[in-house]
Amino acid sequence: MKRGSASGKVILLGEHAVVYGKPAIAVPLVQLRATAQILPSSPGDGLVLDLPDVDQRLALAQAPADHALAHVTRRTLAALGLDPAPDWVVTLQSEIPPASGLGSGAAAATAIARALSAAAGKQLRPDQISALVYESERLFHGTPSGIDNAVVAHELPIWFVRGQPPEPFSVPRPFTVIIADTGIPSPTKTTVGHVRQAWLANPAHLESLFQTIGEVVLAAREAIQKGELSTLGSLMDTNHHLLQGLGVSGPELDCLQAAAKDAGALGAKMSGGGRGGNLIALAPAGLDRQAEIVHALECRGATRVLTTVVGGQDDK
Ligand code: PMV
């Protein structure tokens, strides 16, 4: 049996403005993973995609052209020179909740691409996997910036500007991020579409918000590299308020943001597409203080709270 797995991700700063050419910072979320495994199917059956999480099992040959995981499978087989498709069953299982800004779609596609290359005995580079996964992200999201596939394929903290190669960067002073799920699924396509409408209606105002977000993200990168966590925290707060200005936050996210801050977070903001999905909070040092923030978020309705450390261990 051959396997491939991929992590989830969180966007630390810069979502939405990244679609308009501004920088963003994203980190892998290694605790939550999607895993694909490959076993032989009956001879002549061709390649079968088995997706138990969504109760779907389909022959690749019959899968519609806009099926995102079938698409990445076809593209990866072509990149590996596997034509016709081998008699394999590819089973995908994921711990990453869908439509919550944690990179579920990119992780699923990356896990499949990695498992196929392992089964073919050929290595694909992270940038090749990222390019294959980007195509399936387009089917999930419409006009993705490419940040999800980049951070998931590299599995490192990245500085990302649309259209440029992602820049993995080191985090000299590791920090803890608490991730709280509103429990409200929110497809990225919807909020990206909302921002596009707002931008078409009032380009000057939206451009100036994007510009300020870009400046905040640049300052945040400097703060991360200097280990200045309280500065990073304030920049996350500012980014949250700018995202409110874009109209992509929501009452549940704002309530969790205030709860995290009241409980001692250095900063807090929505992450990803917004409206629902996840809030992220930068935790101060000390397990007790972190536990207080987790408790406050749970009391204010978070349906799941995770803690992750960014940096250290060669940033993996
Ligand atoms: O909802 P997520 O985590 O997939 O993130 C979307 C990030 C956006 O900037 C809103 C869209 C994009 O394609 O970058």
Side-chain angles (χ1 to χ4, degrees):
M1 187 212 300
K2 294 292 177 187
R3 279 176 190 275
S5 95
S7 73
K9 70 97 206 0
V10 278
I11 296 180
L12 282 189
L13 299 112
E15 52 276 270
H16 286 291
V18 70
V19 176
Y20 297 82
K22 303 299 175 198
I25 296 173
V27 299
L29 182 57
V30 289
Q31 296 95 322
L32 287 184
R33 303 194 75 85
T35 304
Q37 66 174 40
I38 299 186
L39 287 168
S41 62
S42 308
D45 272 9
L47 194 142
V48 175
L49 272 178
D50 178 30
L51 311 171
D53 296 341
V54 289
D55 269 337
Q56 210 179 34
R57 193 178 162 94
L58 71 174
L60 185 66
Q62 264 98 59
D66 63 353
H67 190 292
L69 296 181
H71 186 76
V72 75
T73 303
R74 291 190 182 106
R75 293 285 319 272
T76 308
L77 292 174
L80 294 166
L82 292 175
D83 181 25
D87 294 329
W88 289 343
V89 180
V90 181
T91 303
L92 178 89
Q93 284 177 297
S94 178
E95 305 159 346
I96 308 167
S100 62
L102 298 182
S104 62
T110 302
I112 289 178
R114 286 184 177 152
L116 291 170
S117 60
K122 289 186 189 168
Q123 190 89 23
L124 292 173
R125 293 187 315 271
D127 61 307
Q128 291 175 303
I129 294 200
S130 181
L132 292 166
V133 173
Y134 179 73
E135 293 303 319
S136 73
E137 286 287 286
R138 285 174 50 151
L139 297 173
F140 277 122
H141 289 332
T143 53
S145 62
I147 189 167
D148 280 21
N149 47 288
V151 64
V152 170
H154 288 270
E155 215 165 297
L156 289 169
I158 58 159
W159 170 262
F160 180 86
V161 178
R162 187 173 193 166
Q164 297 179 13
E167 244 183 83
F169 70 95
S170 64
V171 177
R173 182 175 168 199
F175 55 87
T176 299
V177 175
I178 297 171
I179 303 161
D181 197 340
T182 59
I184 303 168
S186 176
T188 303
K189 221 174 185 168
T190 311
T191 51
V192 169
H194 168 92
V195 173
R196 170 117 353 220
Q197 291 308 316
W199 177 69
L200 290 171
N202 195 346
H205 178 56
L206 271 279
E207 290 290 349
S208 107
L209 287 172
F210 297 148
Q211 177 65 25
T212 313
I213 291 174
E215 286 159 14
V216 165
V217 177
L218 185 59
R221 178 180 174 155
E222 279 169 26
I224 292 171
Q225 289 182 323
K226 291 184 188 155
E228 291 171 351
L229 299 189
S230 58
T231 307
L232 175 61
S234 331
L235 291 163
M236 287 169 67
D237 292 339
T238 307
N239 195 171
H240 183 74
H241 299 311
L242 291 161
L243 287 159
Q244 286 176 318
L246 285 181
V248 292
S249 189
E252 296 82 4
L253 285 164
D254 291 344
C255 167
L256 291 180
Q257 203 267 349
K261 290 290 297 177
D262 290 349
L266 300 174
K269 65 179 278 293
M270 55 158 270
S271 175
R275 291 278 167 76
N278 281 271
L279 178 102
I280 58 172
L282 180 62
L287 290 179
D288 289 358
R289 294 169 76 194
Q290 293 173 9
E292 269 175 46
I293 300 170
V294 171
H295 181 67
L297 291 165
E298 285 170 348
C299 288
R300 296 286 270 280
T303 53
R304 190 205 49 229
V305 182
L306 295 169
T307 299
T308 192
V309 176
V310 177
Q313 302 161 351
D314 296 322
D315 298 323
K316 283 230 180 191

